[in-house]
Amino acid sequence: MNIFITNATRQNVVLMVITLLMLLLSACSSSEKSIIVDQAPVEYDLVYSMPKETISYDEKVRPVLESRCVVCHGCYDAPCQLKLSSPEGIHRGANKEKVYNGGRVTADEPTRLFIDAMTTEEWRQKGFDTVLNEGDSNPVKNLEDSVMYRMLRQKRLYPQARTGMLSDDFDVELDREQSCPTLDEFDEYKAKHPRGGMPYAMPDLGKEEYTTLVHWLAQGAPMPEDKAPSSVAAKQIEQWEVFLNGDTNKPGNNKTRLVARYLYEHLFQAHLHFAGTDNREFYRLVRSTTAPGEPVVVIPTRRPYGDPASSVYYRLVRHQGSIVAKTHMVYQLSDKRMQRYRELFFDAIYEVDSLPSYEPAVASNPIKAFAAIPVKLRYKFLLDDARFFLEGFIKGPVCRGQIALNVIEDQFWVVFFDPEADMMALNDEFLNATADYLASPAELEDNYKVLSGKRHYRNLFQKYLQTRDVAAEADFDPVNIKEAMSYIWKGEGTNPNAALTIFRHLDSASVNYGFIGDYPESAWVIDYSVLERIHYLLVAGYDVYGNLGHQFNTRLYMDFLRTEGEDYFLAFLPADKRHAIRDTWYQGIRQSSKDDPGKISWISKEIVSGYQTDNPQLELYQQLEQYLGPLAGDGDYINRCASDKCKPKVKPDILRADKAMQLAAKMDGLIVEFLPDVAFVRVKMDAKPEQDLAYTMISNKAYKSVSSMFEGEKIGDRRDYQYDTQTVVRWLEGSYPDFFYVVELEDIERFVEAYNAIENRQQYEAFVARYGQRRTSEDFWLHADWFNQQYAREQPILSGIFDLNRYQNR
């Protein structure tokens, strides 16, 4: 009998022989590794279907990592410190130590990517374990010895449920216990956590996505070199480095060095964007031991004002890797910006006789360190981009803001004193004389002075307030409410930073332009020293790796700063109403802050008169809206102003959705406790996906106290459920969505009706089953991708990848 063997048959035979040989070699290569009987150690079909050409990281791999992996592995709180947002982070690998540890007795060594180590070997010395194969390389070994591959395959072998809520086997709490297995520990991890594959507690990757990552890992995970500055940026970098460093041999260079230090300490965490460059091209300002024109050698001090112990040059380097929303703080650089700096800091006449010390007691106190620069100039610099600087303590080194943020309310408005206002807090002589009183716990750095530190800084704070009030009383002259508006910064009529809204979302927050939401329970009026001290307490001076004493004292001092901003707001209200309003703010634990000496001197004095109603707080809000005009926003048709004068000029379908969402914004009271802090809503418009609408439903939780960094959110003496409210905005607000809802436009009224009818947890679960996207939903990634794409459409420069670490198991 003749046997005819085709080319395809020959290829199959060859592949079978190669597979058997590779299995034998693999089994003999290590006595510690054995072939699994019921499943091969790697997927050989994928190995032998691997393309010959090198898979492009930027074109093929990075999009999958960003949409499926970076959504949980992109910040300090990435599980196992595994940051998959850049090649450097992937090479660095994982570490079992948690960055967020509010109870650590001694500070940990910082492990900041691109700062504290620059090579893979240096990261190994700091305790990071590889997630790739770093031994002998061939496609099988590259998979078999890759923790990353094993995690991906584990999900494939043990998929999660595709309907309903995840079982209790899945721990999705933010502070859940971490395993972080090394290669040698993986078999034990797999046996103990069979459903612990990646993406953890999320739907599996699509077939094409999975194949792309497996092929890439089999090829040895090839990654590109760091991106160099674009030609447009390179020219501007040269100009800015000359501007910031000046001529060290030129007489009078002290002014340049002081101003450059001031700018660096305020912009060190910024994602700098140059005019004329790509929307996704960003840079960082760093301190280097090398001068412009030489390779950058980063000075890795724990804080930006740490002693460099060498000559300092301010350099600009390109931001490498993906942009994640939770750390993305954009600051624009341009010729116009440089001219503004020249006007503020160099055209003004003042002398810098000597440069400030880097000793913590001086460097942590900007009132002292930068006393040579006139207060009004520093304040104008901060006001120009007030949202950016307030966003610093929201998105900055803390990244997870529980310690910093549980001192603030869930929704409040912020305005600023005018830099030209005649008040002691903006007077150079006064501030310099009281600079010692404005010291903060940042000067202690890591310490054990918990209770004594609290008393010490409270006493200093009280002395400052008493001195300020006594000095101001000498020129005390009550004004009418309309006249009082002249004390409020109007943003030169065009700057949107004049009015801001801050939302707290449990342990994250967001800040946006204008007055958003219904009239809030409280508001802040901020002066220079408050704004500056917030930055140095929670951004420049805050160490996420710090010990208990540092974190506890930081939290306590932020309570003082919040109180100062709220008291300035109270000062605008009638004296006979202040106590009642203030009492509603200060309940429970927080009432201990209510009667600090130094505050009582003004609390009963009439400062602003002319109120016409029995609700002066509402009247003050309305006066601010009227005074600030367009800078206060459009009146917020959904949440606050339902009249025709606030009705947006939009297409009928959009107005229909807005009107429906008006009713959702009215939900308040006890039921809000069941709702996510931040829920994204996609309204499908029966057209192209990019024409669908995005809303954010924000739950504003009321508190009797915001004074403890240790108590849970639902402890009875803290929460005040009856005053919970909802805010709805027609854009994507926040960096950490807790849940997604998807609804057709034709169903929008029924969606809101069902939402408002929720009375208990069971009814909410039924609502989720109809409109929600659970962690088990087959369409989950489809909608997650849409929200990220929509954010990029809304904010081409300001957008980043949303973080799903807080996504709820509903």
Side-chain angles (χ1 to χ4, degrees):
M1 181 173 63
N2 293 327
I3 299 176
F4 298 94
I5 300 178
T6 65
N7 288 335
T9 304
R10 288 193 185 94
Q11 291 175 0
N12 289 334
V13 171
V14 171
L15 280 175
M16 289 175 62
V17 172
I18 292 174
T19 299
L20 289 172
L21 288 173
M22 292 298 291
L23 286 170
L24 290 171
L25 289 172
S26 178
C28 297
S29 64
S30 172
S31 60
E32 297 178 354
K33 296 175 185 172
S34 60
I35 300 175
I36 302 171
V37 176
D38 60 339
Q39 60 190 44
V42 298
E43 295 157 287
Y44 294 101
D45 57 333
L46 290 180
V47 172
Y48 299 118
S49 66
M50 184 174 64
K52 293 181 179 180
E53 66 276 5
T54 300
I55 295 173
S56 170
Y57 176 84
D58 283 327
E59 294 179 9
K60 298 290 187 179
V61 177
R62 182 173 56 80
V64 179
L65 291 176
E66 286 186 341
S67 60
R68 303 293 178 263
C69 307
V70 176
V71 290
C72 288
H73 289 272
C75 191
Y76 290 126
D77 61 353
C80 306
Q81 294 192 55
L82 177 59
K83 292 185 69 173
L84 300 176
S85 52
S86 67
E88 288 84 355
I90 298 171
H91 281 302
R92 180 177 75 163
N95 188 303
K96 296 179 185 294
E97 295 296 322
K98 281 189 175 183
V99 172
Y100 288 93
N101 181 359
R104 65 167 66 97
V105 177
T106 59
D108 283 347
E109 285 299 313
T111 53
R112 298 163 296 181
L113 200 59
F114 302 108
I115 297 176
D116 296 311
M118 295 297 175
T119 66
T120 301
E121 179 55 34
E122 288 175 340
W123 286 120
R124 296 292 168 267
Q125 294 172 7
K126 288 181 177 290
F128 281 77
D129 298 303
T130 182
V131 295
L132 304 174
N133 172 36
E134 292 184 349
D136 296 338
S137 179
N138 64 57
V140 173
K141 289 282 288 181
N142 286 339
L143 295 182
E144 190 176 23
D145 290 354
S146 166
V147 173
M148 187 172 177
Y149 166 72
R150 291 205 175 192
M151 281 291 191
L152 292 171
R153 192 176 184 214
Q154 186 77 358
K155 184 77 173 193
R156 215 71 171 174
L157 294 171
Y158 301 96
Q160 65 187 37
R162 296 184 179 181
T163 59
M165 294 172 60
L166 290 174
S167 69
D168 293 338
D169 295 338
F170 292 91
D171 184 357
V172 296
E173 294 297 321
L174 192 59
D175 290 316
R176 64 182 177 270
E177 182 180 351
Q178 296 182 166
S179 297
C180 313
T182 63
L183 183 63
D184 291 338
E185 299 165 341
F186 194 83
D187 286 342
E188 181 182 351
Y189 170 84
K190 179 177 63 175
K192 188 176 181 180
H193 306 284
R195 299 193 183 279
M198 298 296 149
Y200 178 74
M202 290 291 189
D204 198 358
L205 304 182
K207 182 178 179 181
E208 184 176 347
E209 296 166 337
Y210 181 78
T211 301
T212 295
L213 292 188
V214 172
H215 282 167
W216 171 66
L217 290 168
Q219 288 185 347
M223 287 176 264
E225 296 293 325
D226 285 348
K227 293 181 179 179
S230 65
S231 58
V232 175
K235 295 179 181 178
Q236 297 187 62
I237 288 173
E238 184 177 356
Q239 294 171 356
W240 277 97
E241 289 187 349
V242 169
F243 175 80
L244 291 169
N245 294 290
D247 185 347
T248 56
N249 298 315
K250 183 178 179 181
N253 189 252
N254 275 356
K255 180 182 283 191
T256 298
R257 292 169 67 185
L258 183 64
V259 169
R261 174 173 166 178
Y262 183 75
L263 294 175
Y264 168 74
E265 291 181 14
H266 287 80
L267 302 179
F268 71 96
Q269 64 175 355
H271 287 173
L272 303 169
H273 186 261
F274 290 111
T277 59
D278 185 84
N279 285 344
R280 311 311 292 165
E281 183 178 348
F282 301 97
Y283 293 81
R284 298 184 297 123
L285 182 61
V286 301
R287 295 195 299 181
S288 173
T289 60
T290 53
E294 301 176 30
V296 172
V297 178
V298 173
I299 300 173
T301 55
R302 190 177 282 265
R303 293 171 175 82
Y305 53 71
D307 189 345
S310 67
S311 297
V312 173
Y313 298 92
Y314 298 97
R315 306 289 303 279
L316 287 154
V317 297
R318 184 159 183 170
H319 177 281
Q320 302 296 334
S322 306
I323 300 296
V324 294
K326 57 190 173 182
T327 59
H328 191 42
M329 293 161 284
V330 179
Y331 190 90
Q332 299 281 356
L333 293 182
S334 62
D335 291 343
K336 183 178 179 181
R337 175 78 72 182
M338 188 180 291
Q339 181 57 35
R340 175 63 169 167
Y341 286 172
R342 292 188 190 280
E343 292 172 357
L344 286 177
F345 299 120
F346 294 101
D347 292 349
I349 299 174
Y350 61 94
E351 297 295 328
V352 181
D353 297 325
S354 61
L355 295 173
S357 164
Y358 285 107
E359 288 294 321
V362 174
S364 67
N365 186 341
I367 313 301
K368 265 188 175 181
F370 301 104
I373 304 175
V375 168
K376 289 184 179 180
L377 304 185
R378 284 177 272 164
Y379 190 30
K380 288 178 179 179
F381 162 76
L382 296 175
L383 288 178
D384 281 352
D385 296 270
R387 178 192 176 186
F388 169 83
F389 292 112
L390 286 178
E391 196 173 41
F393 85 88
I394 289 169
K395 287 187 172 184
V398 291
C399 192
R400 183 194 301 183
Q402 184 74 355
I403 291 170
L405 298 179
N406 67 4
V407 68
I408 64 176
E409 302 290 353
D410 266 30
Q411 179 231 358
F412 60 98
W413 292 351
V414 176
V415 294
F416 304 88
F417 281 111
D418 190 282
E420 302 299 336
D422 183 16
M423 52 187 297
M424 295 305 300
L426 297 176
N427 180 281
D428 281 279
E429 184 177 350
F430 169 77
L431 279 181
N432 292 340
T434 57
D436 287 337
Y437 298 154
L438 296 175
S440 80
E443 68 180 354
L444 296 177
E445 298 188 343
D446 293 296
N447 64 87
Y448 303 98
K449 299 179 179 179
V450 177
L451 296 179
S452 62
K454 174 183 177 181
R455 289 191 296 269
H456 175 68
Y457 291 103
R458 179 184 291 276
N459 290 337
L460 289 180
F461 180 68
Q462 290 171 355
K463 288 179 181 179
Y464 168 72
L465 294 178
Q466 290 169 341
T467 305
R468 182 199 66 188
D469 293 348
V470 169
E473 192 171 359
D475 297 322
F476 179 73
D477 187 16
V479 295
N480 183 275
I481 184 173
K482 293 187 181 296
E483 297 172 330
M485 289 297 101
S486 65
Y487 282 82
I488 302 299
W489 180 54
K490 204 173 183 178
E492 286 74 50
T494 59
N495 192 329
N497 289 278
L500 302 173
T501 298
I502 293 179
F503 292 105
R504 174 195 172 194
H505 320 295
L506 184 56
D507 59 1
S508 69
S510 59
V511 55
N512 218 324
Y513 298 119
F515 292 154
I516 303 169
D518 205 350
Y519 296 106
E521 180 183 14
S522 66
W524 296 7
V525 182
I526 294 180
D527 67 3
Y528 162 73
S529 77
V530 174
L531 187 55
E532 191 78 280
R533 282 180 287 152
I534 286 175
H535 177 79
Y536 273 81
L537 179 74
L538 295 175
V539 183
Y542 184 74
D543 179 17
V544 71
Y545 302 93
N547 74 344
L548 170 64
H550 168 67
Q551 298 188 49
F552 186 76
N553 284 316
T554 297
R555 165 63 185 74
L556 291 174
Y557 197 85
M558 182 56 193
D559 203 37
F560 301 157
L561 295 178
R562 185 212 67 246
T563 300
E564 196 171 351
E566 288 178 337
D567 281 353
Y568 274 136
F569 176 76
L570 281 172
F572 280 82
L573 295 171
D576 63 345
K577 300 290 186 181
R578 288 184 198 135
H579 277 290
I581 293 172
R582 203 158 176 259
D583 286 347
T584 65
W585 297 350
Y586 294 78
Q587 301 180 56
I589 298 171
R590 190 174 163 187
Q591 67 182 345
S592 62
S593 301
K594 187 173 65 174
D595 295 325
D596 286 339
K599 298 179 181 179
I600 304 305
S601 63
W602 62 267
I603 194 72
S604 59
K605 292 183 179 178
E606 203 69 70
I607 299 172
V608 178
S609 62
Y611 284 92
Q612 304 296 315
T613 71
D614 291 333
N615 190 345
Q617 186 170 355
L618 175 60
E619 200 172 340
L620 177 56
Y621 285 143
Q622 293 171 340
Q623 285 285 345
L624 287 169
E625 287 181 291
Q626 182 179 348
Y627 176 71
L628 294 173
L631 299 181
D634 59 5
D636 197 342
Y637 178 70
I638 293 178
N639 299 285
R640 193 168 74 250
C641 176
S643 68
D644 287 343
K645 69 176 183 179
C646 300
K647 186 182 295 184
K649 295 180 180 179
V650 294
K651 294 178 180 179
D653 284 351
I654 299 176
L655 187 60
R656 175 184 176 181
D658 281 358
K659 285 185 174 181
M661 285 299 185
Q662 279 184 337
L663 298 177
K666 295 184 184 302
M667 177 183 274
D668 58 17
L670 297 177
I671 190 57
V672 176
E673 69 173 296
F674 297 122
L675 305 178
D677 287 278
V678 180
F680 288 173
V681 182
R682 178 182 180 182
V683 180
K684 304 184 77 171
M685 302 296 285
D686 208 15
K688 297 180 180 178
E690 58 268 25
Q691 294 179 1
D692 292 350
L693 302 180
Y695 292 86
T696 306
M697 306 175 82
I698 304 168
S699 297
N700 305 312
K701 294 178 170 60
Y703 299 88
K704 298 176 182 177
S705 165
V706 288
S707 292
S708 173
M709 63 183 278
F710 300 112
E711 295 181 12
E713 288 303 314
K714 295 188 177 181
I715 294 202
D717 65 351
R718 292 198 65 216
R719 288 282 279 109
D720 206 357
Y721 298 104
Q722 62 180 323
Y723 295 112
D724 287 357
T725 62
Q726 287 275 289
T727 300
V728 179
V729 297
R730 199 189 336 121
W731 59 81
L732 297 172
E733 181 78 14
S735 302
Y736 303 85
D738 291 304
F739 211 71
F740 300 150
Y741 302 123
V742 179
V743 57
E744 301 283 346
L745 176 64
E746 293 306 312
D747 203 27
I748 189 65
E749 289 83 9
R750 285 185 290 274
F751 168 82
V752 174
E753 182 180 357
Y755 183 77
N756 284 346
I758 296 171
E759 293 184 350
N760 53 51
R761 183 60 179 264
Q762 290 72 29
Q763 290 179 355
Y764 176 67
E765 297 299 345
F767 176 81
V768 166
R770 183 175 180 183
Y771 296 107
Q773 291 296 310
R774 289 189 166 117
R775 283 175 172 263
T776 58
S777 171
E778 292 186 2
D779 291 334
F780 178 85
W781 290 123
L782 173 71
H783 297 298
D785 289 345
W786 183 87
F787 283 115
N788 275 311
Q789 293 160 5
Q790 177 66 12
Y791 193 24
R793 286 188 286 266
E794 290 178 0
Q795 301 285 355
I797 295 175
L798 299 181
S799 61
I801 300 167
F802 290 120
D803 189 283
L804 299 180
N805 268 305
R806 290 154 171 79
Y807 202 87
Q808 295 180 346
N809 181 26
R810 292 289 190 177

